[in-house]
Amino acid sequence: MRIAYLVSERSTCLRRKVGAVAVKDKRILATGYNGAPSNLAHCLDIGCLREKLGVPSGERHEICRGLHAEQNVIIQAAIHGISLQGAEIYCTTQPCLICSKMLINCRIRSVYFAESYPDELAEGMMREAGVGFELLPYEP
C-alpha cells in the first residue's frame, strides 16, 4: 500500500490524489495514478471543471478530464502486454463502480483499498464476481 501512496504523488488532480498498483506473485505488474490522458493539459495547469461547477465528490465523472488510477493501471498493463488476470490491486481509495466493473473484466483476484466510501453496487458486484474487496487501513 505504501507504493500505491507513493504513486499517488504523481497525480495531477486538484481534488484527490489516488494511486494504484497491480501485483502478482509479489511482483509489481503496473502502476497508475489519476490525471489527464498523456500529452493533454492537466487540471493542475488549466483548472478543474467539476470544482468550478461545485460537483460533489463521486458524481459526474463524465465531465472530468482525468482518468482514474485503476483505469491507468489497466491501460499501462495493456500497453506493455501484461495480463492482470489473477493479480491483486492496491488502491489508496476504493475503486468507483466504473473502475470496479473494469477490474472484474480484467479477472483480477482481489482489491485492497486504504480509504473507503459508500458504494454498495460496486461492492456487491465485486463480491458477486468472486473478487476479494477489502479495506486495508494504512497511514502513509
Side-chain angles (χ1 to χ4, degrees):
M1 192 62 77
R2 183 184 313 183
I3 295 170
Y5 274 96
L6 185 62
V7 170
S8 76
E9 292 178 20
R10 299 208 57 207
S11 170
T12 59
C13 180
L14 297 170
R15 297 179 73 160
R16 177 181 297 185
K17 293 187 176 296
V18 180
V21 180
V23 176
K24 187 172 183 180
D25 299 327
K26 299 184 180 180
R27 291 179 180 244
I28 294 173
L29 303 176
T31 64
Y33 55 90
N34 56 329
S38 297
N39 302 314
L40 295 183
H42 294 283
C43 299
L44 287 172
D45 302 320
I46 64 171
C48 173
L49 179 58
R50 291 175 67 226
E51 189 73 25
K52 289 175 190 169
L53 296 176
V55 176
S57 179
E59 296 180 15
R60 302 288 317 271
H61 294 276
E62 74 277 7
I63 63 170
C64 177
R65 292 181 65 79
L67 292 157
H68 288 187
E70 301 89 343
Q71 293 168 331
N72 272 324
V73 162
I74 293 167
I75 291 165
Q76 287 303 308
I79 286 172
H80 297 289
I82 299 167
S83 172
L84 295 180
Q85 185 171 346
E88 298 174 326
I89 307 294
Y90 292 84
C91 304
T92 58
T93 304
Q94 176 180 328
C96 72
L97 177 60
I98 293 168
C99 289
S100 293
K101 292 187 284 188
M102 293 173 72
L103 292 169
I104 289 167
N105 269 2
C106 288
R107 298 183 183 152
I108 55 104
R109 186 173 58 143
S110 300
V111 175
Y112 300 97
F113 48 92
E115 301 170 29
S116 66
Y117 60 88
D119 190 337
E120 292 178 21
L121 185 54
E123 184 174 350
M125 289 183 79
M126 286 286 205
R127 300 233 187 271
E128 182 181 346
V131 175
F133 197 67
E134 184 179 337
L135 176 65
L136 184 64
Y138 178 79
E139 292 290 326

